Amino acid sequence: MLVLALGAGGYASWQYTNLYLPDRLCDGAVAAKDAERVLGSGKIVVADSDVSTNRSDPDAYCAISLKRGGKYVAEIHLRTKMAEPYELSLRADPAMSQPDRGPVGAFGNARGWLMMAPGCRLDPKDTNNFPKRNADAVAVDVVRTKEPDPYTFARADRTASPEARQGLARLAADFATAVARRSGCGSADVPDVHLTGGEQIGQPVDDGQLCGVPGATAVTKLPDGARQDISSSSAPVQSCWIYTDIRQRLLYEFTATLDSRYPDFAIHISDKPLASSPGGWRGSNNGSTVVASCASGTLTLHAFGFALPDSSQPTETPVFRVWANAMAAKFGCEPVAPK
């Protein structure tokens, strides 16, 4: 009987490789079932975890590995990130899905990020020994063998996988809530991170209707094969990127949002200060960024373009003016650009 019992136990362990895996991983921060959904079949191991209860600890990190046949084949990384100016890993690429409510964030098939509560960057009293808490946002990525690193290319995936993106969003939301709870900031409630869908990826460019806006015409002739990605119509950060066919060189990059924190770290605002807008613009601008008040909040509009003439500022171009007014209407604001 003992032999049979051991044999049955061994068979169960072999058949169900995660039979004895705890329900929660990363010091209780995330659900094991969510990690399994993201990684797939195999044996799951927490390779590293540092989720401190110390309020002055600068960051949090966890790595969850997947093994098959005794070899590591994939790994999830969860970490807090500081939202520094123009942080490329914390940008809302229009090809990524975004939470349509709650904290701002963006998720591709293999990487994503989610903002934490505003009070989670802490300025400790002992600045000699403890830096600012590195917890403006939580970044998550999945690295798999024989696949490119998710950060090798700046662009998100050409084809969206809603299941993969929702799985990363659940992990990021749980991890962000656990870090905030232990640090005494934010809410103990895990945010509902329902993601947008309907992103338009790799669309042919129709000059005269750039970014899907009638009347939006390029300043100079666009190269053959140019494409555009347009964020979901329900995304809190509206963006449109027009690029060459290799998807690496951006020709135009337009961004609009009512979120108060996103522009500070994700938009490349020049050193030129914002000033009263000349030429009939409402609000203030510096040639590439426009900030205007409206009933629903403060609208930030930004344009950047390699396709612009060297002497041209985006706010002087008809394409940005048409697009800016379309975005203002979308967010329930009055027109911001002169017609």
Side-chain angles (χ1 to χ4, degrees):
M1 292 295 292
L2 179 60
V3 173
L4 289 175
L6 288 173
Y11 175 77
S13 298
W14 170 80
Q15 188 178 22
Y16 305 104
T17 53
N18 296 310
L19 185 63
Y20 301 109
L21 189 70
D23 291 338
R24 308 287 298 182
L25 307 176
C26 303
D27 295 300
V30 301
K33 62 181 181 181
D34 288 335
E36 286 186 279
R37 289 193 187 104
V38 169
L39 290 172
S41 61
K43 184 175 179 59
I44 289 178
V45 179
V46 176
D48 189 13
S49 180
D50 181 12
V51 185
S52 177
T53 58
N54 186 339
R55 198 175 159 82
S56 296
D57 200 319
D59 56 16
Y61 173 77
C62 185
I64 306 170
S65 300
L66 180 72
K67 295 176 73 174
R68 291 196 191 111
K71 295 182 179 180
Y72 289 99
V73 295
E75 190 165 80
I76 296 170
H77 302 126
L78 288 150
R79 71 195 85 199
T80 50
K81 294 277 291 183
M82 184 178 290
E84 299 177 299
Y86 205 53
E87 173 55 60
L88 292 177
S89 65
L90 303 181
R91 299 181 70 200
D93 183 324
M96 301 172 85
S97 303
Q98 300 177 40
D100 59 10
R101 63 181 78 98
V104 68
F107 295 89
N109 297 351
R111 63 181 173 90
W113 58 274
L114 189 71
M115 289 298 289
M116 294 183 65
C120 285
R121 174 185 279 198
L122 303 178
D123 293 309
K125 295 178 181 178
D126 186 1
T127 55
N128 291 326
N129 295 313
F130 298 109
K132 287 183 177 180
R133 184 173 179 83
N134 194 9
D136 290 320
V138 163
V140 57
D141 62 73
V142 182
V143 178
R144 300 182 188 273
T145 55
K146 300 181 181 179
E147 291 185 16
D149 185 281
Y151 294 104
T152 299
F153 299 105
R155 299 307 316 280
D157 323 273
R158 287 180 183 270
T159 304
S161 169
E163 295 80 10
R165 296 180 176 199
Q166 195 65 54
L168 293 182
R170 280 193 298 267
L171 289 171
D174 271 358
F175 196 75
T177 302
V179 173
R181 186 186 301 122
R182 294 174 182 184
S183 300
C185 62
S187 170
D189 297 325
V190 179
D192 176 9
V193 283
H194 177 268
L195 297 182
T196 59
E199 294 77 19
Q200 300 178 52
I201 306 171
Q203 299 293 306
V205 170
D206 180 5
D207 198 2
Q209 195 163 333
L210 298 182
C211 302
V213 177
T217 303
V219 178
T220 58
K221 186 179 185 302
L222 294 172
D224 293 338
R227 298 274 172 170
Q228 63 186 10
D229 293 346
I230 305 173
S231 57
S232 167
S233 59
S234 59
V237 178
Q238 287 291 303
S239 57
C240 172
W241 293 2
I242 300 174
Y243 49 88
T244 59
D245 57 353
I246 60 172
R247 231 176 161 235
Q248 296 300 307
R249 183 172 181 266
L250 284 172
L251 303 172
Y252 289 98
E253 178 185 321
F254 297 148
T255 306
T257 185
L258 288 174
D259 187 87
S260 60
R261 289 198 290 168
Y262 183 77
D264 292 337
F265 63 85
I267 292 177
H268 194 175
I269 299 176
S270 69
D271 295 333
K272 186 178 178 181
L274 292 166
S276 297
S277 301
W281 279 90
R282 193 167 65 81
S284 57
N285 79 57
N286 64 4
S288 61
T289 304
V290 176
V291 178
S293 297
C294 61
S296 49
T298 299
L299 178 65
T300 300
L301 301 139
H302 179 73
F304 179 77
F306 290 103
L308 293 170
D310 291 340
S311 60
S312 176
Q313 292 184 325
T315 53
E316 298 173 351
T317 62
V319 61
F320 183 59
R321 294 184 180 194
V322 172
W323 179 83
N325 280 338
M327 290 301 103
K330 186 175 190 60
F331 283 108
C333 303
E334 298 175 0
V336 293
K339 294 184 179 180

